[in-house]
Amino acid sequence: MGHWWVRNIVEPGKLPLLLALAAFVLTFAATRAVTRLIRAGKGPFGNVRAGGLHIHHVVPGVVLTVVGGFGAVASDRHGAGGAVSAVLFGMGAGLVLDEFALLLHLDDVYWSAEGRKSVEVVVLTAALVGLLLAGFSPFGVDNLTREELTDRTTAVANIAANFVLSLVALGKGKTRTALFGVIVPLVALVGAVRLARPGSPWARRCYGRRPRARARAVLRAYRHDRRWAGPRRAVQDWIGGRPDPRPARLPDHR
């Protein structure tokens, strides 16, 4: 275990990435726990206000991200400065992405249905960083054996092929599949060979004169969204909290 840790985490300089990921996940979890307690009126916590202005936690998140990011650039990946900067960056990124929906909509949609975008972005970011951390790094490791060099060269070739397939999946409007496909084999391949989503650049270019393919793409997208929308919302509500119900809109009699 100690040899694996040194060869695959410490020697390639992945320790700051591991610390940043841990700080990111823990900060997001702690932030969601505190905000849910505030929402329920429990515990000693409350919203931070200054002169009647509600200070969202994205503000200290931006500060921590800037400090940690510049500190990481100026530090050695193998030194204590890099580790501290990674932790600060991870904490800041967790606070910022927890309010990603606020930045996207420029409105306080934290407990609305639109606020689910924050949970989705956080989960996706943590998954991608975790996959990157678990993968092989072909750089920064000295004295590789022939077998290790072959394994790492194969890994780099697979990542390059997955990246090309991910670009195809992205052009087909499958953003999540494209992102995961950069690192995970077969995921990008599935996204690249299946029908494009309606309205994607691929569909507009390739299905314009193929009405049957266009109709099949619309039907498949409808079935996919109908099948997975409910489970996806349930997971998001479990992680981030159930959003407030939308107020009923009164009919306009003008």
Side-chain angles (χ1 to χ4, degrees), residues 8-9 12-25 72 77 82-83 85-87 89-90 125-126 128-135 137 183:
N8 293 281
I9 299 297
K14 286 187 176 182
L15 183 58
L17 182 63
L18 175 62
L19 294 174
L21 176 60
F24 175 78
V25 174
R77 289 188 301 169
S85 298
V87 171
F89 180 83
T125 301
L128 289 175
V129 176
L131 290 171
L132 181 63
L133 183 65
S137 175
I183 301 175

Side-chain angles (χ1 to χ4, degrees), residues 58-144:
V58 68
V59 176
V62 170
V63 175
L64 289 173
T65 303
V66 171
V67 173
F70 280 107
V73 171
S75 302
D76 182 7
R77 289 188 301 169
H78 299 273
V84 173
S85 298
V87 171
L88 294 178
F89 180 83
M91 293 173 61
L95 292 172
V96 170
L97 292 187
D98 184 53
E99 293 202 309
F100 173 81
L102 181 148
L103 299 175
L104 181 63
H105 295 276
L106 294 180
D107 192 12
D108 192 357
V109 294
Y110 195 84
W111 293 119
S112 68
E114 290 79 4
R116 287 194 176 104
K117 293 184 179 67
S118 298
V119 178
E120 188 172 345
V121 168
V122 167
V123 172
L124 184 61
T125 301
L128 289 175
V129 176
L131 290 171
L132 181 63
L133 183 65
F136 287 107
S137 175
F139 308 109
V141 180
D142 301 323
N143 301 322
L144 291 176

Side-chain angles (χ1 to χ4, degrees), residues 192-203:
V193 300
R194 291 176 67 87
L195 285 171
R197 290 188 64 86
S200 65
W202 186 285

